[in-house]
Amino acid sequence: MDCIIEMMNITKTFPGIIANDNITLQLRKGEIHALLGENGAGKSTLMSVLFGLYQPDHGKILISGKEVKIRNPNDANRYGIGMVHQHFKLIHNFTVLENIVLGVESTRRGFLEMKDARDKVMELSGRYHLKIDPDALISDITVGMQQRVEILKMLYRQNEILIFDEPTAVLTPQEIHELMKIMRELVEEGKSILFITHKLNEIKEVANRCTILRKGKKVATVSVQDTSKEEMSRLMVGRTVNFNIEKPEMTLGQEVLRVENLVVKSIHPGKNDVDDVTFSVREGEIVCIAGIDGNGQSPLIYALTGLLPVDSGRIVIMEQEATKMPTKKRYQLGMAHIPEDRHKHGLVLDYRLDENLILQNYDHEPFSAKGFLQFESIHQYADKLIHQYDIRSALGGETPARSMSGGNQQKAILAREIDRNPELLIAVQPTRGLDVGAIEYIHQQLVAQRNEGKAVLLVSLELDEVMDISDRIIVIYEGRLVANLNPAELSIEELGLYMSGSKVGVGYEKK
Amino acid sequence: MKKNRFAQAVVAFLPSFFAILAGFLLGFVILLAVNPNQAIQGIGIILKGGLNKGMSGMGQVLYFATPIIMTGLAVGFAFKTGLFNIGASGQFTMGAFAAIYVGVVMKSLPPAIHWLVAILASMIAGAIWGFLPGLLKATRNVNEVITSIMMNYIGMSAVNMMVRATIYNKLKNESLPVASAANIPKWGLQEIFPYPSMNGGILIAVLCVMIVYIVLEKTTFGYELKACGYNRDAGLYAGIQAKRNMIYSMMISGALAGIGGGLLYLSGSGKYMKVIDVIATEGFDGISVALLGLSHPIGVLFAGVFIAYIKVGGFNLQLLNYDQEVINIITAAIIYFSAFALLFKTKIQSIITRNAIQKNEASDQKLEEATMESEERPMKEGDSQ
């Protein structure tokens, strides 16, 4: 069969890692080819090589049988390669149409000529059932529509080879379903698709063949039809992964966190980022705040942790009024916080690992005495955590945090927060960007906290995570809670309906 | 381990070294352009700097270095804590005035502590001048660069006014001489460095360097300040009171610059405060000292001495057929280039990483074994659970 792209024996190294080790990937014309692998397996590097962002150390790229050099994304574009990045590359205060034509605008005497462009975009939109509003601002449309804009960008540039980089991470189940349909239509029209993901269900649903990478090496290229999910999972991780988490029945203890009618106003006047939110978390349960990204999760957590002032309502932690309590006091009450953005909040990247491990405790015994840091105890403590939580780094406690891998940075934060023995653990997307092994580990740790009778408040965008480890799910939509659900009596599709605001739980109707 | 530390120190110093080298090259080009015949001799004089006149010359270097080490320390300290204190000039001037005022007016103080009180006064005055931009930044989020620049002008004019109102020598349009007890003791330094203005100020500056180093590197307070400086969000996350620390940080920075003012005008060198509308250049020299020293207290100490050394070299260049302006341009060019230290820093780091890559390629095999091992470890853990 004809191959439209052949990446032959690609090798690419970075300091300390061989990101791609002699990888061969062949994309046939008119197929959906999945690229499966854990984080750090080399998927992104391989795609960056194809897209001209990196030059391979060895190996060559053939397009329709001819060897080519792709030096930059413009070259890639010229060869008909387009990519939908995981984080969309759209300009938020431009309209949909402006974003689509950006960089390939037609002009007449230096003035933009939008009429032809508009017709062409609308024609493409109709042909592929990609519903868009060409005049809406990107900032006003849903994530699903933003993704359709990205797809139209590729089609407008007449790209024949479409790369989707983890396109479903930000979508609801309904939107995912629609995307799958679009992908099939694109292939029927003769396009070829490379589909990067680590979700096996999606591969099973749309892909023809699947290439599996592990630790920078190609493990296999398999036909999706003839290969079971278990088999693919085993190939990806290199061992059988145990996704079932032991969760003994717990009797709920005291209320550890209570939130009453909490309101955080938005910077946009007249809107509330957090709107009249009431819930509580008790000892021995994992409560998960589910929702699509950007529906008020971050402001809610900032308010709970003292990083953002509350406009009205109450926060009670361990039976103590905490609405206006400074962050430090909340930590002293037993709160711990695994933040959403480990680089922004979780770590001081210019500090060493050991200095980061005492970020909240630097002024307590034994790390401090009479105002001086006690480096001896700091080193010992760091060594203990590094050993206990298996944090890997080049120089142990002396490693600059910046130079550590994402997974190990996250482990360091997890270690720091859990080791403070908190009563209330707030974990915001604790597994984002981590590989299956690390996710498994972090889930085990969270459940272990619950089993010890601690309260865990989890914020997650990953539906599987939400369903698997939580004892109770509260759904947030546009800053409001819309449901309080028991995962045992819930299907993923139904959860999706709540998350997209199509359904509202009993007692949560808007007044 | 020790060898490693030494290598790290060398790598840390390299960028400054290359910056200095580039500065000298540019200086040489200027010398060539202006007066080719004496250019080689000229660059020689600059290179020899303070050494032209033996220990006396080094005394002169230390005398010049003292105030700019202090302003450099001020700028560097603020920078380490995430603030740009461009107001070192104003703080320096306020400190100078406070020191002279105490020196002139409070003659009833016991001679043994007169100078110390004057220095303390300069410290407090500088701290106040740093406090205002710090307060505005912390409470109103007003950019400290703008406020501290404006405070330079306010400081200059206010000091001119206050000198005229209190300690004014009408005949010379400058401040009155301070009591001799208000001058910093010489502690025998003039025996080692036989330069007339040599005094104990440099020792006080070195003491300040050591204190700043200890505060930044060894104390919980320094840990807080740097955490907020490197990453304010992480500081807030950790529950550190970033706003309060900002104010402290600006006050300490101002105090350091203020002491610099005190040290210069209490040096017993016959230097008086002129009533002129010129912003103290020591404050701006402090910025280049801090940049060249990469904001590290020890680095600032050496950078201050180096810049003073160049200035003395420029001073000596007057022996040749060069105009004062040309000399100023050359010394400025060298100092200016020192600001490129950061640029060289990134360059050097990229070269080092590139070498590391090549090394890595050689040890591919080892790495692979390591990854194999790491693959197996979590498995055991999973089983035991």
Side-chain angles (χ1 to χ4, degrees):
Chain A
M1 201 182 278
D2 280 355
C3 284
I4 188 149
I5 287 185
E6 288 169 277
M7 299 183 79
M8 306 297 284
N9 309 95
I10 300 291
T11 298
K12 175 74 192 167
T13 57
F14 292 109
I17 335 162
I18 311 162
N20 286 167
D21 187 0
N22 199 16
I23 293 179
T24 296
L25 173 74
Q26 289 169 310
L27 174 66
R28 291 177 189 156
K29 195 166 165 45
E31 76 165 341
I32 298 179
H33 193 119
L35 190 55
L36 176 67
E38 295 187 272
N39 275 91
K43 293 172 299 189
S44 305
T45 309
L46 189 65
M47 287 306 106
S48 298
V49 167
L50 180 59
F51 212 56
L53 294 169
Y54 295 136
Q55 295 306 310
D57 301 336
H58 304 289
K60 56 185 179 179
I61 300 172
L62 279 67
I63 289 184
S64 307
K66 267 183 291 197
E67 186 175 345
V68 295
K69 274 257 177 281
I70 302 175
R71 285 181 199 84
N72 53 47
N74 288 340
D75 276 358
N77 193 22
R78 210 168 309 130
Y79 293 119
I81 303 170
M83 184 155 173
V84 176
H85 295 267
Q86 193 178 357
H87 302 283
F88 303 147
K89 314 272 183 198
L90 296 171
I91 300 174
H92 278 231
N93 51 356
F94 270 24
T95 66
V96 167
L97 183 63
E98 284 167 338
N99 266 288
I100 291 172
V101 302
L102 188 69
V104 288
E105 311 89 346
S106 35
T107 53
R108 184 172 299 161
R109 291 191 208 97
F111 288 93
L112 280 176
E113 196 53 58
M114 291 301 249
K115 175 97 184 38
D116 299 348
R118 176 185 296 266
D119 294 344
K120 195 171 153 199
V121 166
M122 292 322 286
E123 189 265 322
L124 286 170
S125 160
R127 172 143 53 113
Y128 292 99
H129 310 290
L130 294 160
K131 259 186 284 165
I132 49 144
D133 170 4
D135 299 311
L137 290 179
I138 296 295
S139 52
D140 295 339
I141 63 178
T142 63
V143 179
M145 197 187 281
Q146 289 182 11
Q147 191 168 55
R148 294 198 283 276
V149 174
E150 283 281 12
I151 297 171
L152 276 170
K153 259 168 79 178
M154 297 193 295
L155 298 175
Y156 187 79
R157 285 160 180 72
Q158 294 170 329
N159 291 326
E160 289 301 316
I161 302 143
L162 313 180
I163 307 171
F164 287 82
D165 186 3
E166 309 217 0
T168 58
V170 290
L171 303 181
T172 61
Q174 285 76 13
E175 284 173 318
I176 291 173
H177 187 70
E178 201 178 327
L179 176 69
M180 300 283 144
K181 219 172 80 193
I182 292 168
M183 284 168 73
R184 275 190 294 259
E185 280 173 19
L186 288 168
V187 171
E188 276 162 29
E189 293 275 335
K191 310 277 184 192
S192 314
I193 291 177
L194 262 173
F195 177 31
I196 307 169
T197 184
H198 53 240
K199 293 182 185 164
L200 298 165
N201 291 334
E202 292 162 10
I203 294 179
K204 265 296 190 195
E205 195 178 334
V206 291
N208 304 104
R209 291 194 306 156
C210 175
T211 293
I212 299 153
L213 303 184
R214 186 168 82 230
K215 300 207 187 284
K217 290 200 175 97
K218 177 174 149 179
V219 181
T221 297
V222 296
S223 152
V224 171
Q225 248 183 344
D226 309 335
T227 316
S228 72
K229 271 195 274 185
E230 287 70 25
E231 175 68 8
M232 284 196 275
S233 153
R234 198 187 55 74
L235 288 169
M236 167 167 76
V237 187
R239 63 189 163 95
T240 327
V241 180
N242 182 13
F243 287 108
N244 295 325
I245 297 160
E246 286 286 313
K247 269 175 64 181
E249 280 293 317
M250 288 294 293
T251 38
L252 295 185
Q254 286 185 336
E255 209 171 55
V256 175
L257 170 72
R258 187 166 77 245
V259 179
E260 290 173 6
N261 305 102
L262 194 74
V263 173
V264 177
K265 288 199 173 123
S266 161
I267 45 165
H268 304 293
K271 271 177 81 179
N272 291 336
D273 281 342
V274 177
D275 194 2
D276 197 20
V277 165
T278 302
F279 68 94
S280 70
V281 187
R282 301 168 81 95
E283 290 174 345
E285 68 172 342
I286 298 179
V287 174
C288 180
I289 301 176
I292 301 166
D293 202 6
N295 273 285
Q297 295 97 324
S298 306
L300 173 60
I301 295 302
Y302 290 161
L304 293 183
T305 52
L307 295 173
L308 204 65
V310 170
D311 287 296
S312 68
R314 277 182 80 202
I315 299 167
V316 180
I317 300 173
M318 298 297 287
E319 310 270 292
Q320 293 212 36
E321 174 68 41
T323 314
K324 288 189 173 150
M325 197 180 263
T327 304
K328 189 161 233 160
K329 279 250 181 73
R330 298 185 203 209
Y331 286 135
Q332 282 160 5
L333 281 184
M335 181 188 84
H337 177 197
I338 299 171
E340 177 180 6
D341 189 333
R342 53 182 167 259
H343 290 168
K344 188 177 175 202
H345 287 110
L347 295 168
V348 178
L349 290 175
D350 292 307
Y351 269 169
R352 306 185 319 192
L353 172 59
D354 53 2
E355 291 171 312
N356 270 296
L357 289 173
I358 55 161
L359 196 57
Q360 292 105 335
N361 287 341
Y362 65 93
D363 56 349
H364 297 317
E365 298 265 348
F367 309 126
S368 150
K370 299 189 177 76
F372 281 84
L373 293 173
Q374 302 301 308
F375 290 100
E376 189 82 7
S377 352
I378 294 171
H379 295 323
Q380 277 173 11
Y381 181 66
D383 287 343
K384 184 194 121 189
L385 289 192
I386 288 168
H387 181 75
Q388 194 176 331
Y389 292 87
D390 191 29
I391 307 164
R392 303 211 188 119
S393 60
L395 304 167
E398 298 191 6
T399 316
R402 189 180 293 285
S403 70
M404 291 167 60
S405 74
N408 282 301
Q409 289 176 340
Q410 189 71 358
K411 272 190 186 170
I413 295 172
L414 184 87
R416 180 181 74 207
E417 297 306 310
I418 288 182
D419 205 71
R420 288 195 294 121
N421 200 17
E423 297 301 325
L424 168 67
L425 176 62
I426 298 176
V428 188
Q429 296 189 49
T431 57
R432 182 161 78 169
L434 301 187
D435 61 54
V436 176
I439 289 174
E440 190 184 8
Y441 180 75
I442 284 175
H443 284 172
Q444 280 164 1
Q445 293 291 334
L446 293 180
V447 172
Q449 286 293 302
R450 162 202 182 264
N451 294 348
E452 275 176 37
K454 305 296 171 63
V456 179
L457 178 64
L458 173 72
V459 176
S460 177
L461 306 175
E462 294 282 341
L463 291 177
D464 293 336
E465 180 169 286
V466 173
M467 295 297 279
D468 285 351
I469 73 166
S470 50
D471 295 304
R472 198 150 59 81
I473 300 172
I474 51 183
V475 183
I476 190 165
Y477 175 70
E478 292 188 341
R480 295 178 60 86
L481 294 191
V482 292
N484 184 349
L485 308 161
N486 178 354
E489 304 161 358
L490 186 71
S491 70
I492 279 206
E493 284 71 27
E494 199 182 347
L495 180 58
L497 291 177
Y498 286 111
M499 284 165 59
S500 57
S502 321
K503 198 171 169 186
V504 175
V506 182
Y508 287 92
E509 296 84 1
K510 204 162 186 171
K511 284 159 218 154
Chain B
M1 200 64 205
K2 228 173 199 167
K3 207 173 171 187
N4 196 7
R5 282 272 154 76
F6 177 72
Q8 275 175 6
V10 170
V11 170
F13 175 69
L14 270 179
S16 301
F17 175 76
F18 280 115
I20 290 165
L21 200 70
F24 277 118
L25 278 175
L26 181 67
F28 184 61
V29 170
I30 297 172
L31 285 175
L32 270 177
V34 175
N35 182 354
N37 296 330
Q38 292 182 308
I40 291 181
Q41 204 188 344
I43 198 78
I45 288 178
I46 296 181
L47 276 171
K48 257 173 143 186
L51 293 173
N52 279 315
K53 286 182 274 175
M55 288 314 258
S56 159
M58 282 318 287
Q60 193 182 6
V61 168
L62 294 181
Y63 169 72
F64 276 9
T66 305
I68 58 175
I69 287 171
M70 293 309 298
T71 51
L73 212 49
V75 176
F77 180 84
F79 191 71
K80 275 256 173 187
T81 61
L83 296 163
F84 285 103
N85 178 15
I86 311 295
S89 294
Q91 294 143 11
F92 176 90
T93 311
M94 291 307 287
F97 171 76
I100 297 170
Y101 183 84
V102 171
V104 174
V105 175
M106 297 187 170
K107 286 189 174 142
S108 57
L109 282 170
I113 60 160
H114 194 176
W115 65 273
L116 196 60
V117 175
I119 294 289
L120 284 176
S122 69
M123 186 174 108
I124 292 164
I128 293 171
W129 227 239
F131 167 74
L132 291 169
L135 182 74
L136 286 170
K137 168 88 175 177
T139 57
R140 290 273 157 261
N141 202 20
V142 183
N143 192 320
E144 78 278 10
V145 173
I146 295 167
T147 42
S148 60
I149 288 177
M150 296 323 286
M151 292 298 280
N152 284 342
Y153 289 96
I154 299 171
M156 174 193 75
S157 304
V159 164
N160 282 346
M161 233 168 68
M162 289 191 291
V163 168
R164 259 194 235 117
T166 55
I167 46 171
Y168 193 39
N169 181 346
K170 262 186 201 161
L171 292 175
K172 293 184 175 168
N173 190 30
E174 63 186 26
S175 61
L176 289 166
V178 299
S180 63
N183 284 325
I184 302 159
K186 293 188 187 295
W187 291 313
L189 281 173
Q190 79 279 17
E191 308 290 332
I192 312 169
F193 303 105
Y195 177 70
S197 301
M198 193 62 212
N199 66 84
I202 184 71
L203 295 182
I204 297 175
V206 170
L207 183 70
C208 290
V209 165
M210 279 165 14
I211 292 173
V212 167
Y213 175 78
I214 289 170
V215 167
L216 277 178
E217 301 298 327
K218 306 289 178 200
T219 66
T220 47
F221 180 55
Y223 179 93
E224 284 191 0
L225 289 179
K226 280 193 300 174
C228 292
Y230 288 141
N231 183 349
R232 182 148 177 247
D233 290 309
L236 290 171
Y237 161 84
I240 296 168
Q241 287 184 292
K243 289 183 173 177
R244 190 200 63 189
N245 282 352
M246 255 178 209
I247 298 175
Y248 283 164
S249 181
M250 280 304 280
M251 283 177 73
I252 293 171
S253 176
L256 292 167
I259 295 175
L263 293 183
L264 181 61
Y265 287 94
L266 300 181
S267 57
S269 60
K271 199 167 166 66
Y272 304 104
M273 226 174 184
K274 300 258 184 234
V275 179
I276 43 168
D277 286 345
V278 173
I279 290 184
T281 54
E282 285 84 355
F284 298 114
D285 286 344
I287 298 173
S288 32
V289 169
L291 281 171
L292 184 61
L294 298 174
S295 294
H296 192 282
I298 311 289
V300 161
L301 177 65
F302 286 109
V305 171
F306 168 75
I307 286 183
Y309 182 92
I310 296 297
K311 287 203 161 177
V312 171
F315 221 69
N316 297 333
L317 202 59
Q318 290 174 24
L319 298 171
L320 302 181
N321 209 2
Y322 286 104
D323 292 334
Q324 182 61 42
E325 287 77 9
V326 175
I327 296 167
N328 288 347
I329 290 172
I330 291 166
T331 48
I334 294 171
I335 295 169
Y336 193 86
F337 250 81
S338 63
F340 283 61
L342 280 176
L343 178 87
F344 285 106
K345 188 178 174 186
T346 37
K347 273 269 176 286
I348 288 169
Q349 267 163 1
S350 78
I351 290 170
I352 290 172
T353 19
R354 208 176 306 146
N355 284 344
I357 295 172
Q358 279 159 6
K359 260 190 217 156
N360 269 318
E361 275 172 354
S363 59
D364 267 4
Q365 193 60 41
K366 267 186 207 159
L367 226 145
E368 227 173 272
E369 281 160 17
T371 43
M372 292 294 283
E373 199 183 326
S374 72
E375 193 176 343
E376 268 160 45
R377 256 211 263 162
M379 193 163 148
K380 283 175 200 150
E381 215 168 60
D383 290 344
S384 68
Q385 289 250 337

